Amino acid sequence: MGSQGGWGQSKEFLDLVKSIGEARSKAEEDRIVLQEIETLKRRINEPDVPRRKMKEYIIRLVYVEMLGHDASFGYIHAVKMTHDDSLLLKRTGYLAVTLFLNEDHDLIILIVNTIQKDLRSDNYLVVCAALAAVCKLINEETIPAVLPQVVELLGHPKETVRKKAIMALHRFHQRAPTTMSHLISNFRKRLCDNDPGVMGATLCPLFDLITEDANSYKDLVMSFVSILKQVAERRLSKAYDYHQMPAPFIQIKLLKILGLLGSGDKQASGAMYNVLEDIFKKSEPSSNIGNAVLYECICCVSSICQNDKLLKTAAEVTSKFLKSESHNLKYMGIDALGRLLKRNPEIAEEHQLAVIDCLEDPDDTLKRKTFELLHKMTKSSNVEVIVDRMIDYMISISDNHYKTDIASRCVELAEQYAPSNHWFIQIMNKVFEHAGDLVDVRVAHNFMRLIANGEDDEGAGSQLRSSAVVSYLHILAEPKLPSVFLQVICWVLGEYGITDGKFSASYITGKLCDVAEARSNDDTVRAYAIAAIMKICAFEIAAGRKVELLPECQSLIDELSASHSTDLQQIAYELQALLGLDARAVETIMPYDASCEDIEVDRSLSFLNSFVNQSLQNGARPYIPESERPGTLNISNYGAHDQLEAPSHALRFEAYELPKPSPPPIPPALLAAAPVADLVAVPESAYFSTEPHQPSEPLGGAAMSPAEHGLRLRLEGVQKKWGRPSYSSSSSSSSSSAPSVSAPSAQKPANGVANANGAAAAAGAQARDSSYDSRRNPLVEVSAEKQRLAASLFGARLQEESRRRRPHPPPGAEP
């Protein structure tokens, strides 16, 4: 790199890049960049800067912005450079502008005329530069200004221009679909363009359109199939080959489009079968791009109507992915297998050992993808094994986001395929214990309802609840339990803790008091605990047994009675009141095992009709609705009226009331004849009016009566100590000597005071307006553990497969 660096830049710029690359800290880098910004600010504004130098300054500004600093002071110079006649400078300006500005920037309006002129240029390179800027800078408002010229460029003799015009129209459709609705046919026409590049660019907008409405493009199925067949048969130029694959990116986009068009359409799918089979045969799996085409072909096969031959071929390719040593190919194989399962669930059984190997792979991403596959494979015969593996994995990870996802999957599978309620309770306990507060509260409520509903057999239901109580009393010995789990435990102990008679009421209430004391900062858990104690006391009273509260329970009640939480206070007072009631009242208030009974609410309060009638007969006044009371504002009508006036929530700028009219001016003769006083009456409207004082209006209100307006200090002739002087020395002397002043001279001090007050008020208002094994030997025996795991997940197919894979004994040998 010589003095110019070998690429047209000065040594100063190269030194800047080198110094930033050698910076040892972010602070040092920022210091260098800030120094560069100051240098650019000074030089870029110098007069008569050579164009070559200005080009380098613009590139240095781009470098500054790339490092995260503000270079907005040079944006206008980049805009000016787009106007240059030199192709190199114009392309540099367009590059800088597309990097500096967004579509809503104020400077965009200065570039629209330049873009319009460059779109009509005879130099196709200038046209390409303008089209590239169009895709980045033109917003919805300015699309109509350039749309006709871009549409004309679809017939340009240069294929590069036509390709960029297609890209620009695609961008217009993304930003303003309504303005492009009449131009959709242009995409269909360009699909038949002689240049493969233009045709390939057309596939992108057509993919978006087909994604929105596939039925409108069913007539293009044969065209897409024909193009894909020509590409697969290598009829395109070798310039489109990539790693010996013919136009692989065009193939991938066409396969995506065919997958959308063939979904649910048997006739369209039938037209694709042959070309898909050819791609399976001709694609080279030795390169990444070849595997990408094969994977997209599997996705297409899984989307269109089922063909058994293609499904078998897709399963064979998937098997190769799964047996690869590359984790990327294993991941792709797991994903492809999940797609094929929707068409034929038995396909997974052929790859059971590969799935288990991915499940035990140290690659965490591959393991997570395998769990997603197992979630799709779950049924009642293998739910226990899959959920157990998911919970073990959930315990081993610390990522709360993925732990939440695994917990929700475990709950979903347990609710759908649980073999028994007892197993379901055990699984839910593990989920609550290890996932903690990451579990949705609705899951906890559904779990409580399941325990309350129990089994169909009453004896089995009682046994279920009893086992839940025993397990929860054992779990309470754990040092740290999540809040949601403690809420479930308190509810179960309160409802069924003393039902079977294994545990006394004092033992259960003591445990609940321990929970409340240990979670003194969690009002929700404490509310569940005190409510559970109240239920146990109610059940004891209803059974005719005497309730003797433990000292710690009594102290807890006393503490909650003075709690800052009104909910805790209410429950504590309700418990105290409950202890003083008889058995019949308590049984009526809190019936046993009635948590799942529906509560009927009488919204009309009809049970009070007799009381109301009796009161009316005794002379009570009838109730009048608030809307019918005279002299009372109807809030609902007011809201409706206000909604009509302001249909949208927005700021209202109307004045609250009009200013009071100014009093009529006093004739100068009367003003001169009026006696001079130290205190004069000033109208209040002069202080509170929002209209500015008119300089030609005399000082109004000087002769108004004090009884009507009150007295104000006379400020004429008083010099202001802050701000500009209110009068000159000559006016001061003259005012002191004259017994009366004229209207204009008296108006000046008043205006000065008003202006000073207005400036202070404006300043205050402004301040207020400022945040997943390919070398597996088929003769090697599978370990017993994997055999058991595969048998649990996939059934008995593994044993038959193992017998088929075992070598046959030689003739005459003992079996």
Side-chain angles (χ1 to χ4, degrees):
M1 301 174 70
S3 61
Q4 296 298 321
W7 45 288
Q9 304 304 325
S10 66
K11 185 177 183 301
E12 184 180 6
F13 183 34
L14 299 179
D15 291 340
L16 171 66
V17 177
K18 182 180 179 181
S19 61
I20 290 177
E22 294 175 351
R24 298 181 177 272
S25 65
K26 184 66 170 63
E28 183 180 354
E29 177 186 304
D30 291 342
R31 181 183 57 79
I32 298 172
V33 175
L34 291 175
Q35 183 178 356
E36 174 68 10
I37 290 175
E38 294 301 323
T39 303
L40 290 174
K41 282 183 179 179
R42 184 177 66 256
R43 293 185 181 179
I44 207 169
N45 291 319
E46 293 177 355
D48 301 330
V49 179
R51 295 191 303 171
R52 180 176 169 275
K53 278 290 184 183
M54 182 60 73
K55 169 178 168 289
E56 180 181 324
Y57 293 157
I58 297 298
I59 295 175
R60 289 162 73 167
L61 287 173
V62 172
Y63 190 55
V64 166
E65 287 258 338
M66 288 170 58
L67 294 173
H69 293 262
D70 180 37
S72 57
F73 62 90
Y75 289 178
I76 188 63
H77 297 281
V79 172
K80 291 178 181 179
M81 190 166 286
T82 60
H83 304 159
D84 202 287
D85 295 333
S86 172
L87 177 61
L88 181 59
L89 296 180
K90 182 182 288 290
R91 295 181 69 180
T92 303
Y94 273 128
L95 173 64
V97 165
T98 54
L99 294 174
F100 288 155
L101 309 181
N102 57 67
E103 59 182 23
D104 298 323
H105 199 278
D106 295 337
L107 294 177
I108 295 297
I109 195 65
L110 302 178
I111 308 175
V112 175
N113 289 335
T114 306
I115 291 178
Q116 288 177 326
K117 183 188 72 173
D118 291 341
L119 288 176
R120 294 190 294 266
S121 175
D122 295 333
N123 190 336
Y124 80 97
L125 294 177
V126 174
V127 178
C128 290
L131 286 172
V134 161
C135 295
K136 179 68 168 61
L137 300 177
I138 297 301
N139 53 30
E140 185 175 355
E141 296 178 355
T142 53
I143 284 177
V146 297
L147 182 59
Q149 299 177 43
V150 175
V151 174
E152 290 178 7
L153 291 175
L154 292 175
H156 198 276
K158 281 290 184 178
E159 64 277 0
T160 306
V161 175
R162 300 198 302 273
K163 177 179 177 180
K164 289 186 177 293
I166 289 290
M167 296 168 64
L169 291 177
H170 183 201
R171 189 61 172 164
F172 293 167
H173 178 264
Q174 290 177 335
R175 290 181 175 170
T178 55
T179 61
M180 289 291 298
S181 56
H182 63 290
L183 299 173
I184 300 301
S185 59
N186 289 283
F187 296 135
R188 289 174 172 263
K189 295 176 183 178
R190 290 302 103 193
L191 190 63
C192 303
D193 196 277
N194 295 328
D195 185 74
V198 179
M199 178 270 300
T202 310
L203 295 178
C204 295
L206 285 175
F207 175 76
D208 290 349
L209 294 168
I210 293 171
T211 303
E212 298 171 0
D213 182 18
N215 293 327
S216 300
Y217 300 89
K218 294 286 186 179
D219 56 315
L220 294 178
V221 170
M222 296 309 300
S223 299
F224 290 129
V225 170
S226 175
I227 295 172
L228 182 58
K229 186 176 181 180
Q230 295 178 53
V231 174
E233 292 176 353
R234 298 180 180 271
R235 296 188 183 180
L236 299 185
S237 170
K238 285 189 175 293
Y240 295 95
D241 287 3
Y242 180 76
H243 286 264
Q244 300 180 356
M245 279 291 297
F249 303 105
I250 295 179
Q251 291 191 56
I252 290 174
K253 186 62 71 174
L254 285 169
L255 289 169
K256 288 180 181 288
I257 293 174
L258 292 178
L260 293 173
L261 294 174
S263 179
D265 190 336
K266 194 170 183 179
Q267 182 179 359
S269 299
M272 309 174 189
Y273 292 155
N274 291 334
V275 68
L276 292 176
E277 188 176 355
D278 291 342
I279 293 177
F280 273 125
K281 292 178 181 178
K282 296 178 180 180
S283 294
E284 185 61 42
S286 60
S287 62
N288 287 334
I289 192 63
N291 290 322
V293 174
L294 288 172
Y295 168 77
E296 202 59 53
C297 201
I298 295 173
C299 295
C300 182
V301 169
S302 64
S303 299
I304 65 176
C305 293
Q306 183 171 342
N307 181 276
D308 295 338
K309 186 176 181 181
L310 285 176
L311 274 178
K312 184 178 179 181
T313 306
E316 292 174 355
V317 175
T318 303
S319 178
K320 295 179 181 178
F321 289 161
L322 293 171
K323 293 178 181 179
S324 173
E325 292 185 353
S326 170
H327 286 88
N328 294 332
L329 293 182
K330 284 183 179 181
Y331 185 93
M332 199 158 56
I334 291 292
D335 185 78
L337 186 59
R339 296 175 181 270
L340 295 177
L341 281 176
K342 301 176 183 178
R343 297 296 181 183
N344 187 5
E346 297 180 358
I347 292 178
E349 297 181 1
E350 303 173 5
H351 310 289
Q352 44 189 321
L353 292 178
V355 173
I356 294 173
D357 287 343
C358 292
L359 198 60
E360 298 174 351
D361 197 280
D363 190 331
D364 202 49
T365 306
L366 180 60
K367 190 179 294 185
R368 294 180 182 182
K369 194 66 178 177
T370 309
F371 276 119
E372 294 180 11
L373 175 63
L374 291 178
H375 181 262
K376 300 175 183 177
M377 294 169 50
T378 304
K379 46 190 176 182
S380 57
S381 60
N382 60 6
V383 63
E384 299 181 43
V385 179
I386 292 178
V387 171
D388 286 341
R389 296 297 288 252
M390 284 186 173
I391 291 178
D392 292 341
Y393 178 67
M394 181 183 69
I395 297 173
S396 65
I397 62 177
S398 58
D399 183 0
N400 287 339
H401 176 75
Y402 199 67
K403 184 175 284 190
T404 304
D405 183 60
I406 291 291
S408 62
R409 291 176 185 269
C410 291
V411 172
E412 179 186 352
L413 295 179
E415 289 177 347
Q416 291 182 4
Y417 305 104
S420 64
N421 284 340
H422 183 72
W423 178 85
F424 178 76
I425 290 176
Q426 289 181 334
I427 293 301
M428 293 303 298
N429 290 345
K430 290 182 180 179
V431 171
F432 281 128
E433 183 177 357
H434 298 290
D437 296 327
L438 302 174
V439 183
D440 194 347
V441 178
R442 292 173 294 181
V443 175
H445 294 163
N446 294 337
F447 181 52
M448 297 176 193
R449 181 175 292 274
L450 174 74
I451 295 178
N453 291 333
E455 303 277 357
D456 296 335
D457 184 11
E458 186 62 29
S462 300
Q463 185 179 0
L464 173 69
R465 297 164 188 152
S466 179
S467 62
V469 170
V470 173
S471 63
Y472 288 157
L473 288 173
H474 177 71
I475 290 174
L476 280 177
E478 297 290 336
K480 293 183 179 180
L481 292 174
S483 176
V484 177
F485 196 22
L486 284 173
Q487 296 172 24
V488 175
I489 292 175
C490 291
W491 184 87
V492 172
L493 292 180
E495 290 282 342
Y496 311 108
I498 60 173
T499 303
D500 54 3
K502 292 183 180 179
F503 305 99
S504 64
S506 59
Y507 178 75
I508 300 296
T509 54
K511 289 290 187 181
L512 291 170
C513 287
D514 294 341
V515 172
E517 292 175 359
R519 303 299 290 257
S520 58
N521 296 327
D522 194 335
D523 288 348
T524 306
V525 173
R526 303 190 91 190
Y528 269 85
I530 194 66
I533 294 174
M534 183 164 61
K535 292 177 188 177
I536 294 175
C537 293
F539 299 156
E540 287 289 288
I541 295 173
R545 293 186 288 268
K546 184 179 180 181
V547 176
E548 294 182 359
L549 289 177
L550 298 174
E552 54 266 29
C553 289
Q554 187 62 51
S555 62
L556 176 63
I557 297 172
D558 296 339
E559 177 188 348
L560 297 183
S561 299
S563 173
H564 293 290
S565 171
T566 55
D567 292 336
L568 293 178
Q569 277 191 29
Q570 179 179 349
I571 300 175
Y573 282 119
E574 288 176 355
L575 176 54
Q576 291 176 352
L578 185 74
L579 294 175
L581 299 177
D582 57 4
R584 184 177 179 182
V586 171
E587 188 176 4
T588 304
I589 296 172
M590 300 189 69
Y592 172 72
D593 197 14
S595 57
C596 292
E597 293 183 1
D598 294 331
I599 300 175
E600 297 181 1
V601 178
D602 186 3
R603 297 183 180 273
S604 63
L605 305 179
S606 59
F607 59 90
L608 292 174
N609 287 342
S610 60
F611 173 78
V612 172
N613 293 333
Q614 183 67 31
S615 300
L616 291 174
Q617 292 175 3
N618 294 336
R621 296 177 60 185
Y623 173 76
I624 302 176
E626 187 177 5
S627 59
E628 300 177 6
R629 299 174 189 172
T632 304
L633 178 64
N634 189 344
I635 298 177
S636 60
N637 294 339
Y638 175 77
H641 177 69
D642 185 63
Q643 187 175 5
L644 290 175
E645 288 187 351
S648 61
H649 296 283
L651 290 175
R652 300 178 63 183
F653 297 97
E654 301 88 2
Y656 289 106
E657 62 180 9
L658 294 173
K660 298 179 181 179
S662 302
I666 302 175
L670 293 179
L671 184 61
V676 180
D678 293 336
L679 294 175
V680 296
V682 181
E684 207 152 348
S685 60
Y687 288 89
F688 296 98
S689 174
T690 58
E691 295 180 354
H693 291 284
Q694 301 297 330
S696 61
E697 180 183 347
L699 181 61
M704 303 299 288
S705 64
E708 182 178 357
H709 293 288
L711 296 177
R712 299 282 181 176
L713 285 175
R714 183 186 181 97
L715 300 178
E716 290 85 358
V718 179
Q719 184 178 9
K720 293 192 305 178
K721 297 300 182 182
W722 295 275
R724 297 179 181 177
S726 59
Y727 65 97
S728 62
S729 58
S730 61
S731 63
S732 175
S733 60
S734 62
S735 63
S736 61
S737 60
S740 62
V741 293
S742 64
S745 62
Q747 181 69 14
K748 291 180 180 179
N751 285 342
V753 175
N755 291 339
N757 293 336
Q766 185 176 4
R768 289 192 298 269
D769 292 340
S770 40
S771 127
Y772 157 180
D773 183 3
S774 63
R775 299 185 179 180
R776 181 181 299 278
N777 190 348
L779 302 181
V780 177
E781 288 293 333
V782 182
S783 64
E785 182 181 357
K786 286 190 177 182
Q787 287 185 11
R788 287 194 298 270
L789 179 58
S792 301
L793 291 172
F794 303 95
R797 294 283 302 269
L798 179 63
Q799 298 178 4
E800 300 175 3
E801 184 179 347
S802 300
R803 286 197 294 268
R804 291 197 302 266
R805 289 164 56 181
R806 190 177 299 151
H808 295 284
E814 294 184 1

